[in-house]
Amino acid sequence: EDRRARGSSSMSDSYLASAATLAADVSGNGTDKRGVLPVIKNGKIIDMVKAWTAVTDQPFISFEYFPPRTEEGVAKLHGVIAEMVKQKPMFMDFTWGAGGSTSDLTLDLSKKSQEQHGVMVNMHLTCTNQSKEVCDAGLAGAKEAGICNIVALRGDPPKGKDRWEVTE
């Protein structure tokens, strides 16, 4: 059973109800429908996956979120994350908008999720269609926040463009 989910601040109430039901199935002793879950030390995701697969054949859970467009959406997303961490995901991904359009919010969500929700974060960092300074600021902010998992990628072209362009 694959329970990897892609979350967003616009999740339907029925999806949230399902998530709450799944979360309720997780007992305090580290078990859920998959059985007893291994305790994995937080760190680099590759090491966490290796540690997990060394002791169980059961799937791990992770979630990916897209930064909301409004402050209300951000508040709602933190509520969703608070519920979803009850499912004991290995990590949560936060995407980075094309051209750095959500860079500050992505970094803020990543920091707060690690600090407030106690979940490992995998922060996306788009490396094209933005200035080097935006990329450098994202890396510096991640390092300062103790975020050790970053997906550096080309990303999608900015809205209204057919392709991405290399920037210096």
Side-chain angles (χ1 to χ4, degrees), residues 103-123:
S103 59
D104 291 339
L105 184 53
T106 295
L107 183 57
D108 188 58
L109 287 168
S110 296
K111 285 181 189 179
K112 288 183 178 171
S113 292
Q114 229 171 236
E115 292 169 2
Q116 295 175 4
H117 303 293
V119 65
M120 282 307 299
V121 167
N122 189 35
M123 187 180 91

Side-chain angles (χ1 to χ4, degrees), residues 64-94:
E64 181 175 57
Y65 297 100
F66 305 90
R69 297 173 193 236
T70 65
E71 287 299 318
E72 180 184 338
V74 171
K76 184 176 179 182
L77 179 57
H78 280 293
V80 169
I81 292 169
E83 287 300 311
M84 300 305 265
V85 296
K86 293 176 184 176
Q87 294 184 56
K88 301 184 185 335
M90 185 178 288
F91 61 91
M92 290 185 181
D93 280 295
F94 291 93

Side-chain angles (χ1 to χ4, degrees), residues 121-149:
V121 167
N122 189 35
M123 187 180 91
H124 292 205
L125 177 66
T126 303
C127 299
T128 60
N129 295 317
Q130 66 188 12
S131 69
K132 180 181 181 306
E133 291 76 21
V134 171
C135 188
D136 288 346
L139 288 170
K143 183 176 181 179
E144 181 181 311
I147 297 168
C148 63
N149 297 293

